[in-house]
Amino acid sequence: MTESAYLVFTPSGKRGRFPVGSSVLSCARQLGVDVDSVCGGRGICGRCQVTIGEGGYAKHGISSSLASIEPLTDPERKYDARKGLAPGRRLGCHARLVADAVIDVPPESQVHRQVVRKRAEARAIEVDPVVKPYYVEVEKPDLHHPSGDFQRLNQALQRDWGLSLDDTDLHVLRKLQQVLREGVWKATIALRHTLGKYDEIVGLWPGIQDRLYGLAVDVGSTTVACHLCDLGSGEVLAAAGAMNPQIRFGEDLMSRVSYLMDNSDSLGEMTEAVLATINGLAQETAAEAGIDPRLIIEVVLVGNPIMHHLLLGLDPSELGLAPFALCTDQAVKIYAEEDLGIDIALGSRAYLLPCIAGHVGADAAAVILSEGPHLGEAMTLIIDVGTNAEIVLGNRERLLVASSPTGPALEGAQISCGQRAAPGAIERVRIDPATLEPRFRVIGAELWSDEDDFSDSVNVTGICGSGIIELLGEMFLAGLLTRDGVIDGAKATVTPRVRPRGDTFCYHIHEGELEISITQEDVRAVQLAKGALYAGARLLMDHMGSDKVDRVVLAGAFGSHIDPKYAMLLGMIPDCPLETVSSAGNAAGTGARIALVNKAARDEIEALVRRIEKVETAVEPRFQEHFVGAMAIPHASAPFPHLAAAVELPAPPIEMPLQKLNAGTRRRQRLARKDRA
């Protein structure tokens, strides 16, 4: 009887008895343990590193020690000298059994490892990429047994990995002979998963190439964000962003569509502009990570429907008119280098997530993939705050989506002193309710404006979206702003910061090279935006038959900077416990990353979007009703008990309709101006 040893793998708990002399990697494969390898067990790639347990394991009835495995082998010593083995680590492909052992497979050696996300409630990202590298050693040509290089490559792949290829792209054949001879008949091929297995060559390199890379790109109407990821580990190696150059054709989406309608020959120019930006970000992130851009083999892109169409060179004009027809709502799979001109690997592919509806795009699909409302019981409201807000409501039973035209005011645009979030922009504001004096903090500085040295060290350049929201919230709490959104001119007798401005008033918060005030027009712009946001969310709640939500997620780069208390105080979101409101950051970008490093996520979202229900706010009568009520702060009629428990709200006028409240405020403004005169 062959002498055997009992082997237990952690953390999987899988176990079995194997002949002494078996490699740890071969035992793991027989048990189905998740251990990575690129080189096929040759001790070159180092991906199969394991740790040998030491001590008694009563649960398993065995003792394990370093002596349970044969001493360090020559290939391991060579790898240690070349790349370094962590203390206590062995290469699973060359570590062979001597006696019973407990073997720990660390996360970095697992094929389907998870990428840790900082938010506890966030969905974990499991790494299982659509493209993987495979190292092969190919037989040399032989006069006695003639066959082509591709045929012998295929034989090596079958022998070492149990995989076979029917054919390949021309770009692979064009470089095949050079690569094999340069690598002395050793090569790494990148195989793409297509028909249930890894069966399509998309890249080829001489020797061992154990790392391949991908790009996750969120093409927003204002900014383009790019993340360079290691496809094997899921790690983000570099990130970069840039303004979307299409802004010169129109600041908002409809302006760009209108421009295109008026200038029919501009489609190519708009497409080329955004692709040039993506190409630049690809080169920038590759340089930052210190990698060859030709190792970037996969790209995932997301964007709203108009960005999606413009990116692909599809005319989005139909999206400017009802019924808002998409050219395609399915996932798009194309060549990244050949079709989009992104200067990366020749065989690289691009994947665009499916769009959901005419104004709810691949970015919303990516947000759903990131936040996973369809995976739980909690009634989750997700708001991707932007120029055109996309709203998702639901749980595992049902998902509803809508888009709401908020405009750019919440991001600082169309505000008299507004600006994008950048160093020098006011981002936090507090107002003393007794003196009505403000203090604030700007991006890039830790000092508040009432602290020593602030004026000497900080250059104030404007106010960004989060600062505007906090400023209006603080003005409301201090009594400077009425419930219907009017700057109270009567306060001019209390503080010189309330000043006349034409027929209305403004509140002055900073003097210097740049004077910063919030005007009545600014307040109205924010009211229109936040009213549309709330109305869209409330309309989905109507369709869901729900009066409350269990969880609110504020997504988008801007959403991550909003204080939930002030968002609820202004009435941007429905009332709920403040502790259930969280920020997801760029959830669309995270969803793109998930689709980049996990092939199953693509099937998941493609199936999911087919059952998502779209609510069209443009044709819903109740949207206008909700919108009118949502113009008040926080709302004209909806109760906000959770907010009231957390914040001392000003008492509302008794039985006074908004129209009368407006009229009364205007009378107070006229009297205040008369008194000042």
Side-chain angles (χ1 to χ4, degrees):
M1 183 175 179
T2 305
E3 188 178 356
S4 64
Y6 189 61
L7 196 58
V8 178
F9 285 94
T10 61
S12 67
K14 293 182 178 180
R15 64 202 70 190
R17 189 166 289 278
F18 299 92
V20 167
S22 301
S23 74
V24 170
L25 180 60
S26 67
C27 298
R29 285 178 171 170
Q30 291 178 60
L31 289 174
V33 175
D34 195 13
V35 181
D36 200 0
S37 176
V38 169
C39 67
R42 294 179 173 86
I44 300 173
C45 69
R47 300 278 277 268
C48 62
Q49 293 184 37
V50 296
T51 303
I52 316 302
E54 294 193 78
Y57 292 82
K59 177 181 177 182
H60 306 302
I62 61 173
S63 293
S64 176
S65 70
L66 295 177
S68 299
I69 303 297
E70 289 182 357
L72 209 66
T73 64
D74 284 341
E76 289 176 291
R77 292 190 187 94
K78 289 178 181 177
Y79 181 86
D80 189 27
R82 184 164 48 92
K83 290 191 175 181
L85 269 174
R89 292 280 178 88
R90 296 290 300 273
L91 296 182
C93 59
H94 281 271
R96 299 187 178 277
L97 291 179
V98 171
D100 297 348
V102 173
I103 305 293
D104 181 64
V105 183
E108 57 269 29
S109 296
Q110 297 171 21
V111 176
H112 301 96
R113 64 185 66 87
Q114 288 192 344
V115 179
V116 177
R117 296 181 65 185
K118 293 181 180 179
R119 291 164 45 236
E121 79 282 4
R123 178 181 181 179
I125 303 176
E126 183 178 291
V127 179
D128 186 15
V130 72
V131 180
K132 289 183 180 179
Y134 292 85
Y135 174 81
V136 290
E137 294 184 358
V138 180
E139 295 290 338
K140 296 180 181 179
D142 188 337
L143 279 173
H144 301 291
H145 303 284
S147 61
D149 284 356
F150 178 72
Q151 284 66 40
R152 282 180 283 103
L153 174 71
N154 208 357
Q155 290 168 4
L157 188 64
Q158 176 69 46
R159 179 194 66 222
D160 295 343
W161 298 99
L163 299 170
S164 61
L165 307 169
D166 293 328
D167 52 31
T168 189
D169 287 341
L170 182 59
H171 76 86
V172 173
L173 293 177
R174 282 174 172 165
K175 65 188 294 189
L176 175 60
Q177 294 194 314
Q178 177 188 346
V179 165
L180 289 179
R181 285 151 183 82
E182 186 179 332
V184 194
W185 308 103
K186 301 176 179 66
T188 301
I189 58 176
L191 293 185
R192 200 168 194 276
H193 193 277
T194 57
L195 299 174
K197 61 179 181 178
Y198 291 92
D199 59 359
E200 181 181 12
I201 297 184
V202 292
L204 183 70
W205 299 271
I208 181 75
Q209 177 56 56
D210 61 345
R211 299 288 175 187
L212 297 176
Y213 306 93
L215 295 174
V217 186
D218 177 17
V219 186
S221 56
T222 303
T223 58
V224 180
C226 177
H227 290 83
L228 174 68
C229 301
D230 184 320
L231 293 181
S233 67
E235 180 186 1
V236 176
L237 303 178
M243 295 296 290
N244 188 328
Q246 292 175 344
I247 284 179
R248 69 176 183 264
F249 302 104
E251 189 170 75
D252 57 64
L253 296 172
M254 287 302 105
S255 296
R256 292 177 209 177
V257 173
S258 297
Y259 182 90
L260 182 60
M261 289 177 171
D262 294 337
N263 303 271
S264 58
D265 59 346
S266 64
L267 177 59
E269 187 181 356
M270 296 172 81
T271 297
E272 288 171 10
V274 72
L275 287 176
T277 296
I278 293 172
N279 205 9
L281 293 175
Q283 304 306 309
E284 181 181 340
T285 52
E288 182 182 336
I291 69 159
D292 183 349
R294 293 290 171 179
L295 293 175
I296 301 174
I297 201 73
E298 188 78 9
V299 181
V300 171
L301 302 116
V302 300
N304 61 58
I306 292 174
M307 289 299 97
H308 171 279
H309 279 39
L310 289 175
L311 173 67
L312 294 172
L314 304 175
D315 190 337
S317 298
E318 291 295 328
L319 295 171
L321 303 165
F324 315 115
L326 290 157
C327 179
T328 178
D329 57 8
Q330 295 182 338
V332 176
K333 304 161 189 176
I334 55 178
Y335 285 88
E337 196 274 344
E338 184 177 333
D339 294 329
L340 298 180
I342 302 175
D343 191 17
I344 50 178
L346 272 178
S348 57
R349 303 294 202 271
Y351 176 85
L352 283 80
L353 271 67
C355 291
I356 299 174
H359 286 300
V360 184
D363 53 349
V367 169
I368 292 171
L369 198 55
S370 169
E371 298 307 302
H374 58 294
L375 301 176
E377 298 293 339
M379 186 58 64
T380 301
L381 175 68
I382 305 173
I383 302 177
D384 193 349
V385 186
T387 304
N388 185 67
E390 291 164 322
I391 306 169
V392 180
L393 177 69
N395 56 17
R396 68 167 74 246
E397 300 297 327
R398 187 183 180 198
L399 279 182
L400 305 177
V401 299
S403 62
S404 200
T406 53
L410 293 176
E411 295 179 299
Q414 296 182 353
I415 301 296
S416 58
C417 294
Q419 69 164 88
R420 303 290 180 192
I426 295 173
E427 63 170 344
R428 295 284 177 260
V429 180
R430 298 294 181 268
I431 296 177
D432 187 318
T435 65
L436 303 183
E437 281 295 300
R439 62 190 188 98
F440 55 83
R441 199 172 70 187
V442 305
I443 295 174
E446 294 300 320
L447 294 174
W448 284 80
S449 59
D450 59 345
E451 294 183 78
D452 293 339
D453 300 327
F454 177 86
S455 58
D456 297 330
S457 60
V458 177
N459 179 36
V460 182
T461 58
I463 183 166
C464 66
S466 61
I468 292 164
I469 289 169
E470 292 197 7
L471 174 57
L472 294 191
E474 286 286 313
M475 288 175 66
F476 177 62
L477 292 177
L480 288 162
L481 194 64
T482 66
R483 185 164 168 258
D484 63 322
V486 173
I487 298 174
D488 189 355
K491 297 297 183 182
T493 60
V494 180
T495 174
R497 292 191 177 273
V498 175
R499 304 174 182 179
R501 186 185 177 94
D503 292 333
T504 59
F505 288 84
C506 67
Y507 178 70
H508 192 74
I509 59 173
H510 176 66
E511 288 197 49
E513 291 185 16
L514 177 68
E515 293 192 354
I516 298 177
S517 299
I518 192 83
T519 70
Q520 188 62 64
E521 291 79 10
D522 296 336
V523 176
R524 285 289 179 252
V526 173
Q527 282 182 280
L528 290 169
K530 73 98 176 179
L533 207 59
Y534 179 93
R538 196 64 187 83
L539 187 63
L540 292 188
M541 293 169 67
D542 290 348
H543 280 262
M544 188 65 75
S546 176
D547 287 326
K548 67 180 185 70
V549 295
D550 301 315
R551 173 178 166 236
V552 177
V553 179
L554 298 173
F558 170 53
S560 65
H561 295 288
I562 300 174
D563 186 319
K565 180 181 79 172
Y566 289 97
M568 192 176 294
L569 181 60
L570 283 191
M572 293 172 62
I573 57 177
D575 183 73
C576 64
L578 280 172
E579 63 271 16
T580 65
V581 184
S582 62
S583 297
N586 185 3
T590 301
R593 283 175 51 211
I594 293 174
L596 177 67
V597 302
N598 184 287
K599 63 181 186 294
R602 304 184 184 192
D603 296 331
E604 176 188 349
I605 195 61
E606 288 178 32
L608 183 61
V609 295
R610 288 195 286 270
R611 68 177 182 87
I612 295 175
E613 302 170 49
K614 172 66 165 65
V615 177
E616 183 52 68
T617 57
V619 297
E620 287 280 350
R622 292 214 68 189
F623 179 82
Q624 188 63 24
E625 178 185 331
H626 288 309
F627 177 74
V628 171
M631 287 289 286
I633 302 175
H635 195 279
S637 57
F640 276 71
H642 292 101
L643 177 65
V647 179
E648 187 176 347
L649 298 173
I654 300 174
E655 299 297 326
M656 184 177 291
L658 281 177
Q659 294 86 349
K660 292 185 178 180
L661 189 63
N662 278 319
T665 304
R666 286 192 292 270
R667 283 195 297 273
R668 288 195 300 272
Q669 291 173 337
R670 287 195 296 271
L671 289 172
R673 288 197 297 272
K674 185 176 180 181
D675 290 342
R676 289 175 66 87

